[in-house]
Amino acid sequence: MTAVIDTPQAGNKHNITGARQAYYDKISKYHLAPLWEVLKGLVTPEPKTQMIPALWKFPEVEKLMLEAGDVITAEEAERRVLVLENPGEPGKSKITNSLFAGIQLIMPGEIADAHQHVASAIRFVLKGKGAYTAVEGEKAQMEHGDFIITANWAPHDHGNPGKEPVMWLDVLDMPTINHFQTSFANHFDEKMQNVNHEDGDSFERYATGVLPDGAPAAMNRSPVINYPYKKMKPILDRLKKTGDIDKRHGARVRYANPINGGPVLPTMGANLALLPKGFKGEPYRSTDGTIFAVAEGKGTTVIDGKEYSWGVNDVFVVPPWKRFQHNASEESVLFSISDRPAQEALGIWREGN
Ligand code: GTQ
Ligand code: FE2
């Protein structure tokens, strides 16, 4: 008797003799399995991903998000977030294999209670004014383009004492934390944490070329809570003016931890790039799965041979090792975030063209 076993992971077919199959059946009772049947699927010559490129148009997301404001309160939801589900693997609350992304809405008068968790988070503010996020005692007022970090175990709560709905992009490393199965979380009795630092405090103390006396010599996450867009954009303008424009990425800065120049978080790193009007980028790929959010402008990105058109506040994802190439029909600013720091720490990050 000969059975043909299709091993989709390996993409090859082995003719398994009766004796071999009988052997597999026998060892399975001992929780043993033949590596040679699956090896080609485990050690692939190039990165393999079930994730696919995708783009979420902000006008559509905004409309649906505001409808969520009618069906659930922030209090009931704990966090009123629509998960950006990668269409390659729906139902898993992942945008890439290592990262979660969602759009959060907070309506006027609402608060989202204080909690803390092992998963690190970042916010990139899309639309609306008058809301804040309080992180580790600092109250960050949220404005379009602000980049706010919430490190591992940092207490955080959000509130909107203003008059407009406020929306932002959340990116968390939950899939990474859950890969290691190391999630802890804690809710505070008080709905809002004690605020003892005003907006901009950590930026002014740590990110303007000085450090407070006694600042730690080593820190694996940035002490800066909010990198305001108003402070970042003029730096991009300076790079553009002097022609410091990368052929792939445009005039780009990396959000840095001022203690050591490293990434803002050990698991996630972010950039902000200006693409001049008419920019036609060279193709690029890297092993980090990258989430882009459009802060300003209009253009297209070709990902894995397919063109995606974007406008302000759209979000799109480039899975690992998919080649992409940006084009800007107007001067544009792209925020991006990925798991690159985690890959670099493990020595497995690669880039190419
Ligand atoms: O705002 O604290 O999108 O804890 C997912 C989990 C947001 C948050 C999310 C969270 C939060
Ligand atoms: Fe949270």
Side-chain angles (χ1 to χ4, degrees):
M1 187 192 82
T2 304
V4 177
I5 304 270
D6 194 3
T7 53
Q9 263 195 315
N12 65 347
K13 284 184 178 149
H14 285 211
N15 284 321
I16 299 177
T17 62
R20 203 178 270 177
Q21 187 59 52
Y23 172 73
Y24 294 172
D25 293 346
K26 181 163 125 189
I27 63 173
S28 75
K29 297 192 180 79
Y30 297 84
H31 309 296
L32 296 168
L35 174 63
W36 56 89
E37 289 291 340
V38 293
L39 183 59
K40 285 200 174 81
L42 293 174
V43 184
T44 60
E46 294 232 329
K48 239 178 65 171
T49 178
Q50 76 285 27
M51 297 302 181
I52 55 185
L55 180 140
W56 290 264
K57 289 242 158 245
F58 185 72
E60 294 171 8
V61 172
E62 180 184 28
K63 193 168 162 282
L64 296 167
M65 192 78 248
L66 289 168
E67 287 175 24
D70 295 332
V71 299
I72 192 159
T73 64
E75 183 139 25
E76 271 180 288
E78 182 170 347
R79 296 296 190 258
R80 190 196 286 110
V81 175
L82 291 182
V83 180
L84 303 180
E85 287 196 316
N86 191 294
E89 200 179 18
K92 294 282 167 64
S93 303
K94 292 176 176 187
I95 190 164
T96 65
N97 219 40
S98 62
L99 298 178
F100 161 98
I103 307 290
Q104 184 159 172
L105 164 69
I106 187 156
M107 297 297 284
E110 289 184 332
I111 60 167
D113 296 3
H115 70 194
Q116 64 189 161
H117 36 71
V118 163
S120 296
I122 68 91
R123 332 273 166 207
F124 188 73
V125 183
L126 301 177
K127 193 164 176 188
K129 264 204 187 76
Y132 66 83
T133 177
V135 183
E136 296 171 292
E138 176 165 325
K139 200 170 194 176
Q141 299 298 330
M142 302 174 107
E143 287 195 39
H144 175 76
D146 288 358
F147 172 57
I148 297 164
I149 73 162
T150 303
N152 171 357
W153 212 240
H156 56 285
D157 53 270
H158 319 299
N160 185 354
K163 292 190 172 68
E164 309 167 13
V166 177
M167 273 176 242
W168 62 84
L169 170 71
D170 280 324
V171 180
L172 286 90
D173 58 12
M174 290 188 291
T176 301
I177 302 307
N178 291 336
H179 171 73
F180 292 110
Q181 304 186 320
T182 51
S183 172
F184 290 93
N186 179 42
H187 290 258
F188 296 98
D189 292 336
E190 301 79 26
K191 287 188 174 200
M192 293 152 81
Q193 66 185 288
N194 274 333
V195 170
N196 43 28
H197 296 280
E198 285 308 313
D199 186 17
D201 192 80
S202 61
F203 186 92
E204 297 300 333
R205 284 177 195 231
Y206 289 93
T208 52
V210 294
L211 291 174
D213 268 351
M219 208 174 180
N220 78 346
R221 43 70 56 108
S222 174
V224 177
I225 299 302
N226 187 6
Y227 295 78
Y229 193 68
K230 279 194 179 120
K231 305 243 188 195
M232 302 297 123
K233 180 69 196 300
I235 303 168
L236 301 184
D237 290 332
R238 284 174 189 273
L239 294 177
K240 181 186 117 185
K241 211 166 146 190
T242 52
D244 292 313
I245 301 166
D246 183 272
K247 288 192 166 70
R248 292 94 32 101
H249 305 302
R252 192 168 81 153
V253 292
R254 177 172 62 81
Y255 293 96
N257 171 355
I259 300 291
N260 61 7
V264 288
L265 294 165
T267 49
M268 294 187 279
N271 295 279
L272 193 68
L274 184 153
L275 311 180
K277 185 182 164 86
F279 182 77
K280 268 193 161 322
E282 289 183 0
Y284 178 79
R285 60 178 169 168
S286 55
T287 54
D288 50 323
T290 307
I291 300 150
F292 289 90
V294 182
E296 288 185 50
K298 210 175 155 191
T300 62
T301 297
V302 178
I303 312 168
D304 207 15
K306 196 174 157 199
E307 188 176 70
Y308 296 81
S309 299
W310 41 257
V312 174
N313 291 341
D314 290 354
V315 175
F316 59 97
V317 60
V318 180
W321 211 236
K322 298 293 181 203
R323 192 175 278 116
F324 69 89
Q325 181 265 319
H326 295 310
N327 305 293
S329 49
E330 291 172 11
E331 180 171 297
S332 301
V333 178
L334 293 182
F335 168 82
S336 63
I337 178 148
S338 82
D339 59 358
R340 178 173 164 175
Q343 294 192 15
E344 285 179 319
L346 300 176
I348 58 176
W349 183 77
R350 284 201 197 191
E351 63 182 338
N353 52 26

